[in-house]
Amino acid sequence: MHEIIEFLGVSKRFGDVSVFDRLDLDISTGRTTALVGASGSGKSTLLQMINGVLVPDGGRVEVFGSPLPEGRLAAFRRRIGYAVQGTGLFPHLRIDANIGLLGKLEGWSDAKLADRIVELTELMGLAPELTRRYPHELSGGQQQRVGICRAMLLRPEILLLDEPFSGVDPLTRDEIHERFAELMRAEPVTVVLVTHDLQEAMRLASELVVLDDGRVLQADAVRKVVERPATEGVARLFERLQ
C-alpha cells in the first residue's frame, strides 16, 4: 500500500535529550494508524513533524510523496487537519466561527461555509442551536466534537489527532467514538491518532505503532500487534496501558 507519510532516518533532539535517533516509519494512505506508548515516547513529536511544526535534526520526513516544503507551509498545512487534547477552541468566538475559521481564511462564501458547518455538525451529532453558543457554554464532549469539525472543515487528506478524546467520561467517549467512526465512513481520510488508551486504539484504528523511548517496537495491523506482541517490552506496555 502507498505510504502517505514516511520518516526516513529521522533524528530529533531537544537540547541534550534525544527523542529519535535514525527513526524509520511508514504510514499508509487511507488507514487510521494509532501511535501508542508511554509518556515521553515521542508520539506528539511525530505528529508535529508531520505538519512541519517541528523539523528533524537529521534524516527527512516525506508527506504526500515529497519532503516537507521549506516555504509555503501554510498551503501545505491546509491539506492536514489537526485536533488536539483540550480542543484549542477560541473562547471569544462562537462555535460556528470556530469551526469555520479556516474557510473564512480561504475566502469561502457565507453560503458554502454554512453548508459545510451543517454537514459536519450533523455527522458529529451536534444540535444546530449549539453553533450559536460559545465554547464555555458546551460540555467537554461537545467541545471535542467541535474540534473534530474544525479539523475536517477543508476536507483534509490527513487528519492528525493528539489525544482529542481524553478527559471525558467513558460513556461520552463511547458516543464520540461512534460519531467519529460515522464521520470517517462519510469522509474517509488518513488518520494518525495519538492515544494512551489501548482500547481506543483498538476501536478506531486499523494499524498500530508501538513506541518506547523514541524507538518503534512494533508496527502492524492492530489485531496482529495485540495478539502477537513482538517483544516483552510491547507486552509489558500493553499491560500498563490496559
Side-chain angles (χ1 to χ4, degrees):
M1 178 169 285
H2 174 66
E3 287 79 27
I4 194 169
I5 301 165
E6 294 181 273
F7 293 86
L8 304 167
V10 167
S11 298
K12 183 62 183 175
R13 302 183 64 87
F14 294 105
D16 295 330
V17 178
S18 175
V19 181
F20 297 115
D21 184 17
R22 296 185 295 276
L23 175 94
D24 293 309
L25 176 65
D26 298 335
I27 294 177
S28 298
T29 303
R31 302 288 185 88
T32 294
T33 299
L35 309 179
V36 301
S39 296
S41 59
K43 304 183 297 298
S44 295
T45 300
L46 284 182
L47 286 197
Q48 291 168 5
M49 286 197 286
I50 291 170
N51 74 347
V53 172
L54 297 174
V55 296
D57 298 315
R60 70 183 188 275
V61 180
E62 295 193 355
V63 182
F64 307 124
S66 301
L68 291 179
E70 294 184 7
R72 296 182 56 81
L73 270 176
F76 166 77
R77 288 174 180 148
R78 293 288 192 269
R79 303 172 68 185
I80 301 174
Y82 206 153
V84 299
Q85 183 179 8
T87 72
L89 301 178
F90 294 103
H92 63 290
L93 296 180
R94 290 187 310 210
I95 295 306
D96 55 359
N98 263 289
I99 295 173
L101 184 61
L102 288 178
K104 281 284 189 183
L105 294 175
E106 288 289 282
W108 286 14
S109 68
D110 290 343
K112 178 179 179 179
L113 197 56
D115 287 346
R116 181 60 173 155
I117 291 170
V118 168
E119 189 175 38
L120 288 168
T121 51
E122 285 182 350
L123 283 168
M124 289 303 294
L126 290 165
E129 61 269 18
L130 295 180
T131 63
R132 310 303 295 174
R133 298 181 184 175
Y134 290 89
H136 73 271
E137 298 176 296
L138 271 60
S139 69
Q142 289 169 335
Q143 290 183 36
Q144 288 177 321
R145 297 185 200 198
V146 171
I148 296 295
C149 291
R150 184 173 64 180
M152 287 292 291
L153 184 82
L154 299 183
R155 302 184 186 276
E157 298 164 64
I158 296 172
L159 179 61
L160 306 179
L161 302 176
D162 196 348
E163 299 197 64
F165 310 122
S166 62
V168 296
D169 64 84
L171 289 177
T172 300
R173 183 179 293 191
D174 286 345
E175 185 178 355
I176 295 174
H177 285 170
E178 290 174 6
R179 289 293 182 176
F180 179 74
E182 182 179 344
L183 176 62
M184 290 299 99
R185 287 190 291 271
E187 301 188 8
V189 64
T190 300
V191 179
V192 186
L193 167 67
V194 165
T195 180
H196 281 93
D197 186 337
L198 184 59
Q199 297 304 316
E200 179 171 85
M202 293 173 64
R203 183 170 187 175
L204 298 180
S206 56
E207 307 291 318
L208 192 61
V209 176
V210 183
L211 293 167
D212 186 53
D213 196 25
R215 295 174 296 117
V216 175
L217 299 185
Q218 192 171 358
D220 209 330
V222 170
R223 188 57 58 185
K224 289 183 180 179
V225 178
V226 172
E227 293 180 352
R228 295 190 292 276
T231 67
E232 285 296 322
V234 175
R236 286 195 301 271
L237 179 63
F238 284 174
E239 290 174 1
R240 296 201 302 271
L241 292 176
Q242 288 180 354

